[in-house]
Amino acid sequence: MSTSQIPSRVEPYKLAARREKLEGLVALDKLPRLAEETGHQSGDCQVVLEFGVDTQGRREIRGHLQATLALPCRRCLEPLSQDVTSDFLLGMVADESLASELPASHEPVLVENEQLDLLTVVEDELILSLPQVVYHDESECHVSAEQLVSKTEEGGTEETAPANPFAVLSTLKGKK
């Protein structure tokens, strides 16, 4: 894996025509929307992007990314290191109306003025690849299993019958 930084903007049609491959890193602290979702991140995301043209003449980007993120545990909210990876296939479109012409295997990526913001592409894929829920193992979590169980009042082991909502009717019936 290359240790160079991925360029922020490229001309993807030219890269696809030459079947170029970009490998490198994206600094996680340069991705503000990811920080909104996960909190501040440090380190780098490793990225491989292969530009090409498929057999039907569609320009595409095959990509792979990998990053280690510090995500908050849903129990104790302490950071938990998680590996996030994604393999994706993007179809380049010059207009949003052309996105519907792509096959289901391709996700559309909008190329405006023959320029593509790669940082946005990487950030989108990272956000889409985040795990839904993150938990420490119970033995490592700062919140114990006992703290997660809802408790009743002291001595709440006795079963008490709920009040009958129709009890007032029996008192009315006796007043005749």
Side-chain angles (χ1 to χ4, degrees):
M1 178 61 63
S2 173
T3 58
S4 65
Q5 295 290 318
I6 292 283
S8 61
R9 295 192 73 75
V10 295
E11 294 181 356
Y13 295 131
K14 290 181 181 177
L15 294 175
R18 295 190 306 249
R19 300 192 184 278
E20 297 266 343
K21 180 178 182 178
L22 296 179
E23 287 185 75
L25 303 173
V26 172
L28 293 173
D29 61 1
K30 302 277 190 233
L31 305 175
R33 289 181 299 121
L34 179 66
E36 287 175 19
E37 293 286 324
T38 64
H40 176 74
Q41 299 293 323
S42 61
D44 295 311
C45 177
Q46 298 175 349
V47 181
V48 177
L49 299 170
E50 297 178 29
F51 294 81
V53 181
D54 70 7
T55 55
Q56 282 77 36
R58 288 185 289 261
R59 295 175 192 111
E60 62 184 20
I61 305 169
R62 291 186 181 275
H64 173 79
L65 59 83
Q66 189 279 324
T68 301
L69 303 176
L71 302 175
C73 169
R74 295 294 179 170
R75 285 190 207 123
C76 68
L77 301 178
E78 294 295 320
L80 174 63
S81 181
Q82 290 282 290
D83 286 330
V84 176
T85 60
S86 176
D87 291 304
F88 51 92
L89 178 58
L90 305 174
M92 295 181 229
V93 293
D95 188 325
E96 289 181 21
S97 63
L98 300 173
S100 62
E101 296 176 11
L102 290 173
S105 59
H106 291 63
E107 288 295 321
V109 64
L110 185 61
V111 178
E112 296 177 299
N113 300 322
E114 297 196 14
Q115 295 282 311
L116 180 62
D117 184 351
L118 287 183
L119 293 182
T120 300
V121 171
V122 170
E123 188 172 33
D124 288 346
E125 289 303 322
L126 269 174
I127 291 170
L128 290 171
S129 301
L130 290 173
Q132 291 291 320
V133 182
V134 178
Y135 292 112
H136 284 108
D137 289 333
E138 283 186 33
S139 62
E140 298 173 11
C141 196
H142 297 332
V143 175
S144 67
E146 292 83 37
Q147 291 172 309
L148 295 174
V149 177
S150 62
K151 298 178 182 172
T152 59
E153 295 178 25
E154 294 299 322
T157 57
E158 299 176 15
E159 291 270 336
T160 57
N164 184 350
F166 299 107
V168 74
L169 293 177
S170 65
T171 61
L172 291 174
K173 186 177 176 185
K175 289 185 179 180
K176 286 190 176 184

